[in-house]
Amino acid sequence: MEILSRKSINIKIKELKSDIGNIKDLELSIGKFSEEKWTEAEGPTPFPSITALREWDKKLLDRYKPFYLPFCDLCCLCTYGKCDLTGNKRGACGIHMSAQQSRTVLLASCIGAATHISHARELVTYAIKKFGTDYPLDPGGLAVEVEAPIIRLVCGVKPEKLGDLETVLDYLENQLTQLLSVTHTGQEGNNLDFESKVFHAGMIDQVGMEVADIAQISVFGFPKADPDAPLVDLGMSVVDTKKPVILVIGHNVPPAIQIIDYLKDKRLSEEVEVTGICCTAIDATRYSSKVKIIGPMSWQLRYIRSGIPDVIVVDEQCIRTDNLIEAEKIRAPFIATSEKNCLGLPDRTRDSADDIVADLVSRKNLGVLILDPEKVGEVAVKTARAVAPKRKKSRTSLSTEEIIEQAKTCNQCKMCRRSCPNDLHIPDSMKAAGKGNIGMIGDMYEECIGCARCEQACPETIPIHNIIVSAATQRTKNESFRIRAGRGAIQDIEIRKVGGPIVLGEIPGIVAFVGCSNYPKGGKEVAEMCIEFARRRYIVCTSGCAAMSAAMYKNEDGKTPYELFPGTFDAGGIVNVGSCVANSHIAGAAVKIASIFARRTLRGNYEEIADYVYNRVGAVGVAWGAMSQKAAAIASGFWRLGIPVVVGPHGTKYRRMLLGRADREQDWYVHDRRSGEKVYVGPVPEHLFFAAETKEEAMVMIAKLCMRPNDTSKGRAIKLTHYIDLHRRLFGTTPDDAHLFVRTLTDIPITMKEDLTKILREKGWKETIIPDPTLLVNQVEKRGVR
Amino acid sequence: MEILSRKSINIKIKELKSDIGNIKDLELSIGKFSEEKWTEAEGPTPFPSITALREWDKKLLDRYKPFYLPFCDLCCLCTYGKCDLTGNKRGACGIHMSAQQSRTVLLASCIGAATHISHARELVTYAIKKFGTDYPLDPGGLAVEVEAPIIRLVCGVKPEKLGDLETVLDYLENQLTQLLSVTHTGQEGNNLDFESKVFHAGMIDQVGMEVADIAQISVFGFPKADPDAPLVDLGMSVVDTKKPVILVIGHNVPPAIQIIDYLKDKRLSEEVEVTGICCTAIDATRYSSKVKIIGPMSWQLRYIRSGIPDVIVVDEQCIRTDNLIEAEKIRAPFIATSEKNCLGLPDRTRDSADDIVADLVSRKNLGVLILDPEKVGEVAVKTARAVAPKRKKSRTSLSTEEIIEQAKTCNQCKMCRRSCPNDLHIPDSMKAAGKGNIGMIGDMYEECIGCARCEQACPETIPIHNIIVSAATQRTKNESFRIRAGRGAIQDIEIRKVGGPIVLGEIPGIVAFVGCSNYPKGGKEVAEMCIEFARRRYIVCTSGCAAMSAAMYKNEDGKTPYELFPGTFDAGGIVNVGSCVANSHIAGAAVKIASIFARRTLRGNYEEIADYVYNRVGAVGVAWGAMSQKAAAIASGFWRLGIPVVVGPHGTKYRRMLLGRADREQDWYVHDRRSGEKVYVGPVPEHLFFAAETKEEAMVMIAKLCMRPNDTSKGRAIKLTHYIDLHRRLFGTTPDDAHLFVRTLTDIPITMKEDLTKILREKGWKETIIPDPTLLVNQVEKRGVR
Amino acid sequence: MATTESWQIAEIAGPKKATLIVKPEVADAMIKRAKHPVLIVGHLAAEIDLDDKKMIDYLLELAQKGNLPVIATGHTNRDFLKRGFTKAKIMPAVEIGQRLTDPEWKGIDGKEPYDLAIFAGLPYYMEWTILSGLKHFAPNLKTMTLDNTYQPHASWSFPNISVKDWIENLKSIIEKVEE
Amino acid sequence: MATTESWQIAEIAGPKKATLIVKPEVADAMIKRAKHPVLIVGHLAAEIDLDDKKMIDYLLELAQKGNLPVIATGHTNRDFLKRGFTKAKIMPAVEIGQRLTDPEWKGIDGKEPYDLAIFAGLPYYMEWTILSGLKHFAPNLKTMTLDNTYQPHASWSFPNISVKDWIENLKSIIEKVEE
Ligand code: SF4
Ligand code: SF4
Ligand code: SF4
Ligand code: SF4
Ligand code: SF4
Ligand code: SF4
Ligand code: SF4
Ligand code: SF4
């Protein structure tokens, strides 16, 4: 990307006219800075074009062949169609099924990346408007010197001020546009080239997320890489319903922050409850620990229907598009705040706050659009205080009697179950409820993802979701948890400390729970997995919906995972980095291990660093409830860095897996950096994208996928112990592929020596060496060359 | 878009390092220029944000309500799905069918816009690399002062040098990213807000196309708004097959230009035939009239299978993704040239031309990827010359005997017909052919769009498409036509001349035939429509595939439409503006009428200009074979400017129409600019997006849609004459809605007085006034105010 | 082949699909039951041979015997006029489609909303998309197609049947509609 | 309800859909005809009650009587072990899915490519997607599901049937597979 890297060198603005005033002689001098202060040599691919990393991608894709799982037999992308692509038929444009599926993955990843990038742009624009382009970026205080590992890695620039991020965003928007255009009818025709572009989308998505989070950390003073970020409240029952209650939903935190600030300014903080769902909630608690998180996105219907919120403020992303309708049912005024989500509401941005409040209170407007966070703050607070006393907290929940009565009208047609994403046993539970036993339907609360498809399908218009929630009143009453506020980045010093143990394998792995709440059997599985791996002294990271779900568990002493485990990026920590965009810090940590610990060149040196991470850093991403296009993009970003991703069974709907073939020995050779020899290292990591059928399968796979060629024998023995142990416990047997992970006899865990030695003998195991592993020929230090 | 408009003011680059050298102290000073040289006042919406024109859009959408035609009952966009949206059910994210359909339209329009914008970026980057940022933009020589009407209108800047276009592109990429993010699960929830964003996508698409075309006109010296652009050859039979033949396919012309230049440099122009399909062909003829156009995109299979091309060079967009396979069948080496379409081929960009040629000639590589147009030029020519003598021109066509033999194996299962987009009568024709009569299947050549879905479906693997083409040999032998090379923009002086007659209605309309070749009954219908309207002295414009189809007709004297009608932008002209991206000049012409003729402020003044065009400029876009996402974006761009678009019946697959309701009087009031009164003006134009069932229906509708409130009585009488005349001729009756278009008795065409007066009486017609029409309250010149 | 398979094989519909007209009586019953039906005839009706007649001849007979108002889409009116039928209202298919989604619209005769729209002779895919629009957005309207191809989005449709069966069915429907 | 309707109503497949196992004999014939079949059992098999037994009990009986090699996905193996069955190969569903698309892969026994894969007990939607992958990318493989829900992407599937019918069918299949 010549243009953009060029721009990044020196941009001077002589005159700047904008709404907020004029600026003269502003200098944006990223490049100059970099030249002067950043002595690191530039790698081969700063601002890489959409094919610049194609060779690297092909290396990965050669090992991890896409297994396509078409979600539809047809293509309906253009009006030549629909085209039937079954039986290897080609569409009217000549495309075949594998390319079509990968094209769909690219489309999803582009949507996901666009969402993060445009969110980042919105944050940066807002921040610059308020704080100026020269406002310094400071995501980690003194503890973080490598402030933006992903940006440095991908773009080869070192952002120091807010304004620097604009150049990065220009690049991202440019790449995104190119990638999206690739999905046009009659562009790319090869599935692997599509996949390479998917990886590119993932990479720019990761940059976009990093831009967003370091911008918001810097300007809003979020915790700066703080392992001891405060514990904050989470759950339906933590809300003080006697006060006026504001609900914020979405991802873009400025409106919520303006609400908090307005309350603070007017000394009303104790008078009004600010509650939140989804990432806006997480980010609001990074700003003020007074904010209360209700839960992940699947809590929207439940909470609104509880009647508790007096005013609902939505911004962008992962917002139920029928919240306006639901808000109306409980007579809560509604405020939309994003250009991306206007919901047909009248734009009142230019009207006075009091006029808007009046119209909301009188219900002349059931909802309004306000594209100015400050005004949102004032309007939301004033409206909440005005309506709260008047508004009957008209919840839509049902008494046991009402439930039974409704359940009696069920005709057992099963349309609800057949519409439920998780095939939940609604008809049986309804039958039981009709007979007076509401326990079974109440139990469904744990597994229900709150989508209301059942209600939509019911010919008797039974309010099924309401019944589920109402029948679980006792549960929601107990919904009171503690989550550690998102800490943001990982400190350099933490990296220095764990770098060695991770790369050698002695810390068995980094397991990052990210993504949405499309859980097959409820959110508690995330909490259980977090605890299991934290106990086993993996480093556990969380972000987004998964971070919230991880909090929704208590042990016998009433302690939640975040109370049980520290927030340090170290063995046995549970590290909530923050909202969705904060998950860039997890990839960032992997990259920083290569840079800070291993001193590899970061700047524009993607391939080498990815090769490093892939072969040495035992990290695994887990998106147990992955659902969104953003989740698709996030996964793609991990893949290009060589980090495997495990998803739940719904993940098979992402159109393809990337699976290694442990049985094909020829697939698992690396170069030894010192000798240049090709060395068999076993199937590590075995898969790059894997959908697990059950939590148990996921856990065994996570342990397995943490192995890396670079593990020392000590490290490998530790990792093998966990893998075998989990396999035995969850599957009942010692895994029959354990031998593939033993390179020398010292790799064998002592406690498992007998068992394993037997297996090795049976399998005709042969000792191999532990190389200094790389997939890149150019990494080989040939004699005399370096 | 503050950031971007800010950037547009003054960008100074102190140091510029790039592949091609270092530049110091370069100044990009669009803004400064504008300030100094462009005295026009800035309108309210330079660089509009995605909601800046929402009110305008709502005005249009209020008249033209979307009629949704769901192409699928389901949504499969995220892994909560698939969701069943029938019966007004909401998906798991809360979305309902109308929003889902409009979301799909937005997605398609974003893909389309991304394609044009990224193409524009590619051209501009290439041009700057070769010619420098300071290279002056000059799309029209002295004849064109308003060099970039769309850019001026939308962005409020006046681009003068290549480098200026980069700022515009930054803006477009930014907007595109935001728009795409809107399609994410749980963002926008309202169908009309989605539609408004569709319009925005169309608007930025139009800007992108203008950027692309003015850049390429400027640097490659294409015809500069030249009504007398040369006539060039078109058709399968115009190729001199004795020479080595190169085929270029796609949209991005630099590789083709480098082929032409290489031939010129080496004095080989007479030795090698350069032939092209699709827009690359059109643009190559704008560079050199020696290039021969084969036909629109539907000619790909036919021509390749003819065996004529010796080397196939593809770039981007609308390229059959199986061309590589087809090329292999005729043993033609294949060169891919775009990052966006790599086709899994080895990247040979950095290898020497001769090495690549050797590998292609020896067929060690069946195809290669070369991301350097210069190198493509050399490799393509050398390879063509090397293989042409050796290569048997191994066509895949069949003799009559072979056809009959193949046809005999047909089992009449009808899968071919059931797979054919146009439901063509293949089984019957095949039966006849089996009996020795190949006439019927030969006739299908005219209607077949060359998609080969029939072949894919045939259980007997009969090469159906080959049979169709082979049976039509006589037709392809006669395929020799003349097309006027794309002239580019419209001259200011032409605008001055026709502005009055158009706005007053005396030139009955501008009819623009654009878009793809998904024709319901073959391309000849486009030619017929062009001729009809040119004869009626409308201004007919063409671009892209439609421009080529329009050429494929001859009258008794063997003259093609481009030979029969002049290329001037005037009544009775047929104006080929050029490739797809050149169609921006058509919208540009409408805008220039407002600016040059009516002297309305252009700069950043979108709403007023669109209101002007909508109420006064009787333009209609016709995309008879619209198929692609680009076509969707192009249509959207027209809509926002208030220009109706007519598509063929396949256009109903674009998920929705935008239709007015002539029967609802209340929908058709405008403000009179002078008095401020609301005046009924009748349903003009009646629809904004309309799919016609047949050519006849389209023609009547086109005539009707050219009417505008501003028509003088004389103009209205002319327009009514054409409408009524076409209605009578094609439908057999006088239209029963004619009275809706008569405002005063003087509107009635004299020749139709009797008929119409009778109808008026029957319908209880009342006289109304002819206002100075506007939809915008702020356009009303209140007494004393202006 | 009495299945609910779309004629154009890729034009698969979702969960809600047309009921099959397994016997002509079904169609007749529906037409008779309708309070305000309308017949919409596309241009292919005049192109399709049904033995010695065209499809439009059957439709015309049906309209006349069943006293059905007729809308001619495309340029079909020309073919009605050729047959001396001047009462067809000319209206494009997408326009009539849109109006039918308006529960307030009282029809071309201004009487009352249509409750049954019978389609025939449109290009398969265009009829498919318009019927889809009606299925989703005209909940109070029933739709029927008399083409010999299965239209999943209609309320009632023939399966994909042979021309022979089609003719028989049409004849029988016409016969009975008079009764 | 012997229709080819997907169990999860929105999981509509395209033109090529599973043949219905209308009688248990159909399934038996296919199993017997297969040269190298494999039974893939998901975790729901151990959760679903079929009268006094679990679904996995039936599948186990089928495997043993029909001499079918068994692959246990998810954590199903635990439930096999509880029943004393130790011969199941543990392999995740997506892995076995992918391997089955490799025409070279000789199966877990290394003998020869499987020609019939019988699925049961996976979450409906996951089985759906994996069977889709196999339908498109394992042209030489036949697939069958023994769940009581219609899986359109399989080669053979029951329609959506009641638990009662299901038990009967399974019993009958098991009985006959021995013969
Ligand atoms: S993009 Fe290709 S496969 Fe898809 S509908 Fe269009 S022509 Fe068919
Ligand atoms: S709301 Fe819950 S029970 Fe209802 S369909 Fe969704 S997940 Fe299933
Ligand atoms: S859809 Fe309604 S009526 Fe049918 S089984 Fe479910 S709850 Fe009962
Ligand atoms: S984790 Fe997924 S569902 Fe949750 S907020 Fe992020 S994208 Fe949305
Ligand atoms: S790809 Fe999705 S929207 Fe398209 S036909 Fe299939 S299910 Fe429907
Ligand atoms: S985007 Fe909404 S409607 Fe579409 S599949 Fe996802 S949840 Fe369902
Ligand atoms: S190639 Fe021609 S005949 Fe065959 S399906 Fe396409 S349009 Fe129909
Ligand atoms: S698909 Fe093949 S066999 Fe069947 S009717 Fe068409 S040409 Fe004949």
Side-chain angles (χ1 to χ4, degrees), chain A residues 67-68 70-71 73 86 97 418-420 423 521 650 652 659 661 663 687 693-694 696-697 730-731 736, chain D residues 5-9 14 42-43 47 73-75 77-78 89 95 98 102 122 128-129 132-133 135-136:
Chain A
F67 169 35
Y68 293 104
F71 200 32
D73 290 347
T86 47
M97 190 49 112
R418 293 180 62 190
S419 301
C420 174
D423 203 13
K521 298 201 169 179
H650 284 289
T652 54
L659 302 174
R661 283 282 297 271
D663 60 325
H687 302 303
E693 179 185 344
T694 63
E696 291 80 0
E697 189 173 276
L730 300 172
F731 294 170
D736 69 355
Chain D
E5 244 187 31
S6 288
W7 169 247
Q8 290 201 314
I9 47 178
H43 80 288
E47 293 183 11
T73 68
H75 54 279
N77 191 57
R78 228 160 52 184
K89 163 85 179 175
E95 262 185 38
Q98 186 202 35
D102 175 359
L122 285 162
W128 193 97
T129 45
S132 172
K135 173 171 105 173
H136 287 95

Side-chain angles (χ1 to χ4, degrees), chain A residues 6-7 16 49 51 193 339 344, chain B residues 6 16 49 51 193 339 344:
Chain A
R6 226 192 287 156
K7 276 198 210 138
L16 177 146
S49 80
T51 60
D193 268 310
E339 284 200 294
Chain B
R6 225 191 289 153
L16 176 145
S49 80
T51 60
D193 269 310
E339 284 199 294

Side-chain angles (χ1 to χ4, degrees), chain B residues 416 419-422 424 426 444 448-454 465 468:
Chain B
C416 48
S419 301
C420 174
N422 285 329
L424 297 180
I426 309 165
M444 282 177 52
C448 168
I449 57 167
C451 72
R453 274 211 323 227
C454 48
H465 183 62
I468 295 170

